[in-house]
């Protein structure tokens, strides 16, 4: 084989659809290769021509993606998912049963719209699953850190308000409603059916028990545990979380007690 033929073969291989993707196309003719990026887009999806769907990304039937958005490799946009304009999905983001506003960024590994942890015991003491059939609604200018997950609702939609920021490894349970301009730091867990106001800050590894309500302009210190409603703005810390001044006084008192009665 001549040098020119070898060069042409190398160029054709660089631009060819991978074999595994070609086989997938043959089995799923309702999907088309997207010109901007080489991903797979269902014929019944509504995707703006300016959108980039990178190779390995899949957009399912009924999905809608607004202009100037970007779907990274390995992303799955499930059926009937609605994505606004100028949204960036990094690698391996999975979206189902949800809507995303404009100017949002979802980092690698984010999962939105999967079933919440809804189980109970029946009369035979067997575990049965409760229906998880509602959606997740994410507002505008929301950023969600890598490997975070947001569960779909069961009795009300899960909601993330405008301009709220989630760090990496955050878990948002089903039916949770989070207001606008909140900051949720890494490894925070919010159990099902909680309601957070606007401008709430949760420090790293803080936890919120189920069905808790937290007022606007509340800040929870790292590693705190919220087990009852917080109705007044301010700073809280400890387990169970109390006003930060009270927590500091209790820490000092316990240390003094230990100093008086050493082991």
């Amino acid at each position: 084989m001549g040098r020119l033929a070898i060069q042409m073969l190398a160029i054709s291989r660089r631009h060819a659809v991978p074999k595994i993707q070609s086989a997938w196309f043959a089995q799923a003719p309702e999907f088309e290769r997207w010109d901007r990026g080489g991903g797979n887009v269902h014929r019944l999806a509504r995707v703006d021509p300016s959108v980039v769907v990178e190779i390995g990304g899949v957009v399912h039937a009924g999905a809608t993606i607004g202009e100037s958005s970007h779907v990274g490799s390995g992303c799955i946009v499930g059926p009937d998912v609605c994505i606004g304009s100028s949204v960036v999905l990094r690698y391996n983001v999975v979206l189902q049963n949800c809507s995303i506003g404009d100017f949002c960024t979802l980092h690698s590994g984010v999962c939105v719209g999967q079933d919440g942890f809804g189980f109970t015991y029946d009369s035979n003491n067997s575990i049965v699953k409760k229906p998880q059939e509602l959606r997740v609604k994410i507002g505008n200018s929301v950023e969600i850190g890598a490997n975070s997950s947001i569960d779909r609702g069961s009795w009300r939609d899960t909601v993330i308000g405008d301009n709220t920021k989630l760090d990496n490894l955050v878990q948002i349970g089903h039916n949770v409603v989070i207001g606008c301009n909140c900051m949720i730091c890494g490894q925070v867990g919010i159990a099902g059916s909680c309601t957070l106001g606007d401008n709430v800050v949760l420090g790293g590894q803080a936890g919120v028990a189920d069905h808790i309500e937290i007022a606007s302009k509340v800040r929870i210190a790292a590693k705190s545990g919220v087990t009852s409603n917080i109705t007044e703005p301010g700073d809280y810390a400890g387990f169970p979380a109390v006003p930060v001044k009270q927590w500091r006084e209790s820490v000092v008192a316990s240390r003094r007690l230990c100093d008086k009665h050493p082991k």
Side-chain angles (χ1 to χ4, degrees), residues 27-145:
Q27 297 174 12
E30 66 273 19
F31 286 84
E32 298 178 332
R33 186 184 182 206
W34 191 250
D35 290 338
R36 293 179 61 85
N40 306 317
V41 177
H42 197 281
R43 297 176 188 273
L44 298 181
R46 297 177 293 277
V47 180
D48 189 90
S50 63
V51 171
V52 173
V53 182
E54 292 184 2
I55 193 165
V58 179
V59 180
H60 284 264
T64 302
I65 305 179
E67 61 182 0
S68 301
S69 291
H70 189 110
V71 178
S73 294
C75 291
I76 306 296
V77 179
D80 302 316
V81 167
C82 182
I83 298 174
S85 302
S86 301
V87 172
V88 177
L89 307 181
R90 305 297 186 190
Y91 302 139
N92 298 319
V93 173
V94 178
L95 304 179
Q96 56 190 119
N97 310 305
C98 68
S99 62
I100 312 287
D102 301 329
F103 304 105
C104 294
T105 299
L106 280 65
H107 291 276
S108 299
V110 167
C111 292
V112 178
Q114 66 283 335
D115 283 1
F117 192 72
F119 296 93
T120 188
Y121 289 98
D122 64 11
S123 57
N124 297 320
N125 208 33
S126 298
I127 295 176
V128 293
K129 186 180 178 75
K130 295 180 179 179
Q132 310 284 305
E133 298 178 348
L134 298 181
R135 295 174 64 83
V136 176
K137 296 181 179 179
I138 296 177
N140 300 322
S141 301
V142 172
E143 183 158 343
I144 302 175

Side-chain angles (χ1 to χ4, degrees), residues 10 132 167-168 177 200 224 241 254 259 262:
Q132 310 284 305
D167 197 357
N168 301 334
V177 174
V200 172
S224 298
S254 63
D259 289 342

Side-chain angles (χ1 to χ4, degrees), residues 246-260:
Q246 180 181 338
W247 172 75
R248 288 171 178 162
E249 291 172 348
S250 66
V251 170
V252 171
S254 63
R255 287 183 177 177
R256 287 175 178 171
L257 184 63
C258 290
D259 289 342
K260 289 181 180 180

Side-chain angles (χ1 to χ4, degrees), residues 161-165 178-184 197-201:
D162 294 345
N163 204 43
T164 285
K165 315 299 182 185
I178 297 177
C180 301
N181 301 306
C182 295
M183 289 195 294
I184 313 297
D198 300 331
N199 301 103
V200 172
V201 178

